[in-house]
Amino acid sequence: MSIFNMLLRNVVKSSVFPFAMKERRKNGLFLTCFYKPFLHRTLNLSPYLKDVEPNPPQKLDLDEWKNIMRAEQQKEICEPTSKCEEDSALTAMREFVEMRRLAGKLIPKNITEEELKTLMELTTKSSKLKYLKFLAIRERKRNARNTKKEERREQRKELLGEVENRDADDLRNSFLVGFRAKSLDNLHNWRAAYAMIFGQPLVFDMVFENCMSVIELQNAVKQIMESEGYNRKSVDPFHLHFCNLSVDGLYMKEFRRSYGKTWDNLLVTETEHCYTKLFPRDRLIYLTPESRNIMKTFEHNKVYIIGSLVDKGGQKGASLAEAKRLNLATARLPLDLYLRWNIGGKNLTLDQMIRILITLKDTGDWKKALQFVPRRKHGGFCGN
Amino acid sequence: MAFFLQASYWGLQTFLGRRFLFQPASTCQKSLVLMVDLLSRDRVKGLPFTTSSQSALPQKLKGVHMLHKSRSRSRDGRKVKMQDSCREEEKSLIHPFFAGAAKQRSEIQRTPTAIRLLRLSRRHDIQPPEKPLNAKEWQELRTQLKLCTDFEIVMLRQMVKHKSSIDVAKSLMADVVLRNGDVRYNLLIAYLTLCLQQGQTAEFFDIYDIIKLKFKTLETGGYGVLIRGLSGTERWREAILLLKEMKKFTVPSKGCYGHCIKAALNNQDIQLALELYHEMLAKNIMPNLDVPQAFFDSSKGTQDDKLKKELLSMLLCFRENQVYPNEALMQSIKQWFESIPGEKWTGRLTSVENGCACPVCNQVLETIELNEKEYNILKEKIMKDVMMQGSNTFRTTTPQELKRFQDFVKSRLPYDIVIDGLNVANSVKKLNKYKVLFDVISYFAQQNLRLLVLSRKHLMKGFQTWNGNAVTALQRKVDFFFTANVSQDDPFLLYATLHSGNHCKFVTRDLLRDHKACFTETSIRHLFFKWQRGHQLILSPLVSHKIIFMPILNFNTVVQTTGDTWHIPYDDQLVERYSYEVPRKWLCLQRK
């Protein structure tokens, strides 16, 4: 009898156990908890042994898992888990973030004390969740970039190894010394310096720094950096003016932060003055999408003004108001004339604007220039 | 001849070629359709029971065909209906600020091109199994669906959606525990949601106890589910404890508060319920309508004067925030009033179309006119928020223009009617816009009213060239003011109307929602809306040959009382009310 009992127990165990063992990830602790309930179950079976066939159809035990959870829980609780008490609000926030991670939401893996404090300062729930999502996405991007960098480094190492393996003494016959990035930079700077003397002025109006949120301001600075770079690299650059740039304003702070030391060597004119003081009024044209006048041709003797304003809603008519205030001529790009507009605002980013203007200046061809309008916004050129 | 032959041969060849070209094209099309079909089927690969492509294809094509047919038919139908409505339904037009008007407008104006495409999401079509599965079968399903990362959570959500039996979910959880030795938090919460849906209270408590052991604090979603589950049971006190815990790191949502309040009311702890309610209002959270309903339901036949006062103040709170009860809440309010012992209230439902008295009790409803204090506040705010946009006058106009306009208005006597010229001119599409404007102006001019017509300069140019003589004749009687083409004309309209005094009306079809949004405070928005309802004349849209205006409302649609009567507007269940509309139905309560 007892032998038979043992045998059956083994059968039951072997029929279910391997399954569970196969993909088990947690060790030690789990094993003991798991084992106990099954022992219990086989004992239960023993009085009815005679009735049960040697190979019973497996019946599912639906409530077993709760016991496992409870048993495990009690063990964990026995372990000392008390931590030193920190600032209670901060810990509450940290715990909240932790639990949100467990709930499967987008949460950054590492969150610093500073970020937690900014999180606490946010007033509404939705703004908190948005900030957390932003942090998570930023972290994910950063990680992806880092892994890519690692890969590239590895590849470079391999390449270098190959080059070294090749014959090192084999000197090539070349009529130029290797062309370096530095020389290209020199060329660009030379052109920019030339533009500072003879080039056509292009004004970025920095008067909107108080209309924007922090994020919008950062985006605006990024766009200005991008447009400055594109301008420098073009064949015939504009002479850029950053007007209305107050010395200790938000824009200046952000510029210094993102440009670093380069800011002082930048080949652009930055002034606190308004463009109306620098140029005669009749040469100025304010470019704004809300203008009623359509820009027909690019004029080489005019000074175009671009309002450096990133508008994520709520700033309707700000740049037009500025032009009206100074009583300037305004113009907008002929987007509707040349493009079949689909979706999105007619306000373009600053770098798109400068690309369009530079192409116009070089070629005068609207079709070429308007290729810099994002493709998602329009369905091709009219008449094609 | 030879040339001819050649040419004809060439023609034949091209013809044949075309034929040949045609044939592959059609097959190509077919294969394209097939490909698309396969692609779309690929998207729902998770479906265990899909029909074969041969049977699926023709069905789909037929479906498309049917769609075309039904669409064209409906288009014709609408045309017929519109003509009918032009003739017959002139009187059945709803006032633009009454509930359902926006819906009616959109029905009339809807273009037939808007087809809604059904989007099939990949996860939407997973059919959860019908019986509990064992570990092996779950493994099979998992490999079959290829969603290894969050297979369990997707499956649980589908179970909630398809309302499958709790045993299936149990078997899934058992499988997870036996595999990993642990369950993730979000899985437990999803399982709890399923328990809640199925009404498995015992199971819910089991999991709740486990969660309590396992986690010290939870996040908002988890608290929400737990509070919802616990508030309906005898362990409702714990829900209130959870609510307290929640307040440590965030402001609980109105749903959480609502469940706790309802739980307290169900268990006759009215004191606690009131406390929570006031706390909620103090945090500036407007409760859902079922919370007041629970209050009214639970305190039927009460003798408690304090409670009665609370409930009446709840109604006054509706009045302040322009909240309108829905039909269920209205019924509760009615029954509560009728159940008050000692006071014989009778409640009846009615609708006040126009006129100023309630048809049931002949009680005059509150007038829509603002009192002097409110009027002055509104006048100031219009100037500050709409006209000047805070500090930047250039957004709407220029200071010179504003000055010119202010001087102009000051020098004239107060007006009776201010007309938005551009809006009126463009209000009837089929007619000449100058003719429409001319008709409207002369319609008012004949009644000897003082008129001001506001417009932009470009309209005036066309107007004078259209019929110079008639216009100059008009100009003697009527004042015109023209703003620059880049300025906004609506703020001028509002300014002129408000400064003329309380009797002045304005004519535009614009609902002025963007100007209402310029106000920073909600109370001012309510004031503006009240004033707008009382002073806006709207050209009736369907009648093109006659000038008919929508009647101006002369009563205020808001919860109101005179002590012996209560009049409460409520939302009809069948009518969709937009946020800038007011309900048409009323509950009239009267004490005898």
Side-chain angles (χ1 to χ4, degrees):
Chain A
M1 176 66 195
S2 67
I3 294 170
F4 187 54
N5 202 346
M6 271 289 284
L7 196 119
L8 192 87
R9 195 184 295 165
N10 278 340
V11 165
V12 170
K13 248 192 271 172
S14 60
S15 61
V16 190
F17 202 58
F19 247 166
M21 285 291 285
K22 225 186 261 173
E23 291 191 39
R24 180 171 55 92
R25 281 168 210 159
K26 248 188 173 177
N27 316 0
L29 194 95
F30 161 73
L31 197 80
T32 50
C33 318
F34 173 78
Y35 196 65
K36 267 181 214 159
F38 265 88
L39 257 181
H40 179 69
R41 190 179 151 191
T42 41
L43 282 176
N44 258 355
L45 275 174
S46 57
Y48 308 106
L49 274 180
K50 298 253 163 108
D51 305 337
V52 179
E53 290 160 21
N55 217 354
Q58 205 176 49
K59 224 211 154 210
L60 285 163
D61 197 347
L62 293 175
D63 290 326
E64 198 68 56
W65 58 280
K66 287 189 218 155
N67 296 334
I68 296 174
M69 297 284 298
R70 277 190 206 118
E72 185 187 327
Q73 219 41 61
Q74 262 140 24
K75 279 202 174 173
E76 269 183 22
I77 275 183
C78 289
E79 292 163 19
T81 48
S82 61
K83 273 184 184 176
C84 57
E85 296 243 334
E86 275 177 311
D87 188 19
S88 65
L90 208 64
T91 34
M93 187 49 79
R94 196 183 290 271
E95 268 167 11
F96 169 65
V97 171
E98 258 338 285
M99 291 316 291
R100 261 197 94 73
R101 187 202 314 290
L102 285 182
K105 297 284 166 22
L106 262 178
I107 296 291
K109 276 197 186 102
N110 308 309
I111 187 161
T112 61
E113 202 93 328
E114 208 174 306
E115 282 163 351
L116 267 181
K117 267 172 196 160
T118 37
L119 192 65
M120 301 253 297
E121 277 162 20
L122 295 173
T123 45
T124 61
K125 197 160 92 183
S126 62
S127 63
K128 276 177 191 165
L129 301 188
K130 257 185 208 166
Y131 183 65
L132 277 175
K133 195 177 166 190
F134 161 73
L135 285 181
I137 289 174
R138 196 178 67 177
E139 189 184 52
R140 196 159 67 187
K141 275 183 188 163
R142 207 175 270 169
N143 286 345
R145 221 180 301 139
N146 285 347
T147 48
K148 233 180 204 174
K149 229 185 231 171
E150 285 288 312
E151 274 173 26
R152 232 177 283 147
R153 200 173 290 155
E154 301 260 311
Q155 277 178 2
R156 206 181 301 149
K157 256 186 201 168
E158 276 177 28
L159 263 178
L160 276 179
E162 272 178 33
V163 170
E164 273 174 19
N165 285 342
R166 245 189 269 158
D167 239 347
D169 325 275
D170 185 21
L171 284 174
R172 278 182 302 149
N173 188 10
S174 157
F175 101 104
L176 276 178
V177 188
F179 192 78
R180 301 200 172 174
K182 182 77 183 160
S183 359
L184 195 64
D185 265 358
N186 277 341
L187 177 69
H188 289 154
N189 280 338
W190 172 252
R191 275 189 198 150
Y194 184 84
M196 293 254 317
I197 307 169
F198 301 111
Q200 183 181 0
L202 181 75
V203 177
F204 280 97
D205 185 8
M206 304 290 186
V207 83
F208 302 107
E209 64 182 11
N210 293 323
C211 314
M212 289 189 276
S213 67
V214 181
I215 292 170
E216 282 174 342
L217 188 87
Q218 283 172 357
N219 291 351
V221 166
K222 238 179 221 172
Q223 288 178 14
I224 291 172
M225 282 174 80
E226 185 109 337
S227 31
E228 189 269 328
Y230 188 82
N231 182 52
R232 186 152 32 99
K233 281 166 197 155
S234 69
V235 182
D236 181 17
F238 281 108
H239 176 194
L240 294 187
H241 286 72
F242 294 170
C243 291
N244 291 324
L245 183 64
S246 55
V247 177
D248 30 58
L250 299 170
Y251 254 123
M252 202 61 166
K253 235 183 246 170
E254 192 60 34
F255 270 131
R256 286 205 182 280
R257 200 179 67 86
S258 34
Y259 265 110
K261 276 182 189 167
T262 332
W263 175 245
D264 296 321
N265 304 331
L266 216 57
L267 289 170
V268 298
T269 306
E270 77 232 30
T271 89
E272 271 186 82
H273 297 300
C274 186
Y275 30 84
T276 44
K277 281 193 182 172
L278 301 180
F279 305 103
R281 221 169 250 274
D282 54 331
R283 274 180 70 198
L284 293 172
I285 294 182
Y286 211 113
L287 293 177
T288 158
E290 283 130 357
S291 169
R292 300 206 137 234
N293 313 318
I294 296 175
M295 185 174 163
K296 297 260 164 52
T297 50
F298 182 85
E299 288 171 71
H300 293 268
N301 57 347
K302 294 277 184 197
V303 178
Y304 288 99
I305 307 165
I306 302 173
S308 50
L309 165 72
V310 170
D311 173 18
K312 291 190 174 168
Q315 297 294 329
K316 213 176 158 196
S319 53
L320 185 67
E322 193 61 23
K324 259 159 97 182
R325 190 170 69 84
L326 296 166
N327 202 8
L328 296 176
T330 58
R332 64 166 198 260
L333 294 181
L335 297 176
D336 283 326
L337 291 184
Y338 287 91
L339 301 172
R340 278 179 280 132
W341 201 262
N342 272 348
I343 198 173
K346 300 264 168 67
N347 45 354
L348 303 177
T349 61
L350 302 177
D351 53 307
Q352 283 157 15
M353 278 307 287
I354 206 169
R355 272 162 223 243
I356 289 170
L357 288 180
I358 283 178
T359 318
L360 275 180
K361 187 176 153 198
D362 290 348
T363 62
D365 185 354
W366 277 107
K367 266 193 184 172
K368 250 187 207 166
L370 293 182
Q371 261 157 12
F372 293 106
V373 178
R375 280 289 293 139
R376 67 171 188 283
K377 287 194 175 184
H378 63 91
F381 285 88
C382 287
N384 283 11
Chain B
M1 185 68 196
F3 173 71
F4 242 101
L5 251 176
Q6 215 173 5
S8 66
Y9 177 68
W10 179 75
L12 187 73
Q13 208 179 23
T14 48
F15 175 69
L16 275 177
R18 259 183 213 163
R19 278 297 298 263
F20 276 128
L21 256 177
F22 248 92
Q23 203 93 38
S26 64
T27 50
C28 181
Q29 260 177 355
K30 251 183 213 167
S31 64
L32 206 125
V33 169
L34 237 170
M35 256 173 67
V36 169
D37 184 50
L38 280 177
L39 273 175
S40 62
R41 259 163 49 73
D42 198 24
R43 224 181 285 150
V44 286
K45 209 167 29 178
L47 233 159
F49 323 104
T50 42
T51 50
S52 67
S53 68
Q54 280 93 341
S55 64
L57 186 61
Q59 271 177 359
K60 267 197 176 169
L61 286 175
K62 210 185 271 173
V64 168
H65 196 64
M66 289 284 284
L67 204 124
H68 264 285
K69 259 189 182 170
S70 65
R71 205 179 55 179
S72 63
R73 196 180 301 147
S74 76
R75 189 194 286 162
D76 295 340
R78 193 168 297 127
K79 243 183 209 166
V80 172
K81 200 179 156 195
M82 258 184 73
Q83 281 172 355
D84 279 349
S85 65
C86 277
R87 284 181 204 131
E88 292 164 17
E89 295 177 15
E90 279 177 20
K91 282 177 189 171
S92 74
L93 266 179
I94 310 176
H95 192 278
F97 294 124
F98 274 149
K103 189 86 187 163
Q104 196 185 43
R105 270 204 304 279
S106 74
E107 288 286 328
I108 292 168
Q109 288 168 0
R110 198 195 318 168
T111 49
T113 46
I115 321 162
R116 279 185 197 159
L117 290 174
L118 278 175
R119 268 186 64 199
L120 282 175
S121 166
R122 185 177 173 185
R123 285 176 180 176
H124 279 187
D125 292 82
I126 297 171
Q127 193 86 34
E130 282 165 13
K131 281 181 206 160
L133 306 183
N134 60 23
K136 198 175 169 188
E137 284 161 334
W138 277 120
Q139 187 58 39
E140 267 172 23
L141 197 60
R142 191 173 291 121
T143 47
Q144 197 189 337
L145 291 182
K146 291 173 189 160
L147 294 166
C148 9
T149 47
D150 48 0
F151 167 79
E152 292 91 6
I153 198 88
V154 170
M155 194 46 99
L156 272 176
R157 278 187 196 142
Q158 286 306 309
M159 283 178 198
V160 172
K161 195 180 155 198
H162 291 270
K163 293 181 182 156
S164 47
S165 127
I166 192 87
D167 286 344
V168 186
K170 267 187 196 171
S171 76
L172 177 63
M173 295 296 276
D175 172 54
V176 173
V177 173
L178 290 183
R179 250 174 347 110
N180 300 336
D182 197 6
V183 188
R184 278 180 305 161
Y185 167 75
N186 55 354
L187 211 56
L188 277 176
I189 295 297
Y191 181 66
L192 270 180
T193 321
L194 188 70
C195 293
L196 248 184
Q197 190 200 31
Q198 316 261 341
Q200 304 271 354
T201 327
E203 188 75 12
F204 185 86
F205 285 144
D206 276 356
I207 307 299
Y208 169 57
D209 291 335
I210 289 176
I211 285 182
K212 224 166 50 174
L213 279 174
K214 208 165 152 66
F215 303 103
K216 233 165 66 187
T217 56
L218 308 180
E219 49 87 49
T220 42
Y223 277 124
V225 174
L226 283 177
I227 287 174
R228 185 149 61 95
L230 288 170
S231 61
T233 63
E234 68 272 15
R235 286 169 73 174
W236 62 278
R237 292 257 170 212
E238 289 175 52
I240 286 159
L241 287 181
L242 284 180
L243 190 76
K244 249 181 210 161
E245 268 181 48
M246 207 170 165
K247 276 180 228 159
K248 277 181 198 164
F249 63 92
T250 180
V251 180
S253 66
K254 57 179 164 185
C256 290
Y257 267 119
H259 284 297
C260 286
I261 290 173
K262 273 191 273 179
L265 283 174
N266 283 340
N267 297 288
Q268 263 77 44
D269 193 344
I270 290 171
Q271 202 52 44
L272 180 65
L274 280 174
E275 235 170 71
L276 284 173
Y277 181 76
H278 287 302
E279 185 184 311
M280 191 175 175
L281 287 185
K283 283 181 180 167
N284 218 354
I285 309 168
M286 272 315 280
N288 286 330
L289 286 179
D290 53 347
V291 173
Q293 192 187 344
F295 271 112
F296 280 107
D297 277 342
S298 65
S299 51
K300 254 178 229 162
T302 181
Q303 297 274 12
D304 188 358
D305 273 352
K306 208 177 156 197
L307 182 62
K308 215 170 96 185
K309 222 175 170 183
E310 284 286 350
L311 290 177
L312 293 183
S313 77
M314 223 173 265
L315 285 178
L316 292 178
C317 175
F318 285 173
R319 177 194 166 86
E320 263 168 47
N321 297 305
Q322 302 229 334
V323 177
Y324 302 110
N326 56 16
E327 211 160 317
L329 175 55
M330 182 273 299
Q331 286 295 351
S332 305
I333 293 172
K334 189 177 160 216
Q335 282 162 15
W336 178 76
F337 267 106
E338 285 168 350
S339 76
I340 298 176
E343 305 173 14
K344 285 178 188 164
W345 287 94
T346 47
R348 266 171 296 176
L349 309 183
T350 165
S351 63
V352 189
E353 277 307 335
N354 213 354
C356 47
C358 165
V360 178
C361 60
N362 282 327
Q363 169 74 43
V364 178
L365 292 175
E366 241 173 75
T367 172
I368 202 155
E369 300 296 334
L370 306 184
N371 61 32
E372 201 165 328
K373 201 173 149 199
E374 288 171 332
Y375 199 81
N376 287 335
I377 292 176
L378 188 64
K379 229 155 80 170
E380 257 175 54
K381 284 283 177 183
I382 284 267
M383 189 61 206
K384 218 166 110 192
D385 288 349
V386 180
M387 210 76 172
M388 317 268 283
Q389 293 267 334
S391 58
N392 197 347
T393 322
F394 291 97
R395 291 237 175 129
T396 48
T397 169
T398 58
Q400 293 89 0
E401 198 175 46
L402 189 58
K403 186 84 186 20
R404 189 164 66 92
F405 179 68
Q406 275 172 329
D407 291 344
F408 175 81
V409 171
K410 230 180 251 172
S411 66
R412 308 286 162 143
L413 286 168
Y415 293 104
D416 297 319
I417 305 280
V418 182
I419 297 175
D420 184 352
L422 266 173
N423 190 288
V424 168
N426 292 321
S427 58
V428 185
K429 284 271 157 57
K430 287 172 203 161
L431 299 181
N432 185 344
K433 57 180 177 181
Y434 303 117
K435 173 98 171 59
V436 177
L437 182 59
F438 185 79
D439 284 350
V440 171
I441 295 174
S442 41
Y443 170 79
F444 283 115
Q446 275 164 15
Q447 300 175 20
N448 279 332
L449 295 170
R450 299 255 325 129
L451 277 183
L452 171 65
V453 180
L454 275 166
S455 165
R456 296 204 183 112
K457 273 177 185 149
H458 64 83
L459 185 80
M460 193 54 200
K461 246 184 226 168
F463 201 30
Q464 268 162 351
T465 48
W466 169 68
N467 190 349
N469 295 335
V471 173
T472 40
L474 258 188
Q475 256 170 335
R476 272 178 226 142
K477 287 192 212 163
V478 181
D479 285 339
F480 283 82
F481 187 85
F482 297 99
T483 65
N485 289 344
V486 282
S487 299
Q488 291 182 16
D489 50 355
D490 293 339
F492 290 99
L493 178 84
L494 299 177
Y495 181 89
T497 317
L498 274 166
H499 278 254
S500 295
N502 223 337
H503 67 285
C504 183
K505 310 273 191 292
F506 62 97
V507 184
T508 177
R509 266 176 69 191
D510 198 333
L511 296 178
L512 305 172
R513 281 169 285 177
D514 46 345
H515 301 292
K516 192 160 68 177
C518 286
F519 296 114
T520 40
E521 298 147 59
T522 352
S523 59
I524 305 291
R525 268 180 219 171
H526 293 325
L527 265 191
F528 178 75
F529 187 42
K530 190 176 163 191
W531 174 77
Q532 187 191 0
R533 270 182 288 162
H535 292 85
Q536 184 167 12
L537 282 166
I538 295 168
L539 202 62
S540 149
L542 286 185
V543 187
S544 50
H545 51 283
K546 259 191 281 174
I547 296 168
I548 294 177
F549 288 97
M550 290 283 178
I552 280 192
L553 306 175
N554 39 19
F555 59 91
N556 192 11
T557 310
V558 76
V559 177
Q560 46 196 279
T561 177
T562 58
D564 276 347
T565 57
W566 276 88
H567 285 95
I568 300 168
Y570 68 93
D571 277 327
D572 199 345
Q573 224 162 27
L574 303 171
V575 179
E576 189 183 355
R577 185 173 67 84
Y578 286 49
S579 59
Y580 55 89
E581 294 173 343
V582 292
R584 301 162 70 188
K585 297 279 179 71
W586 289 76
L587 166 67
C588 163
L589 288 158
Q590 198 179 3
R591 183 158 58 177
K592 279 178 186 160

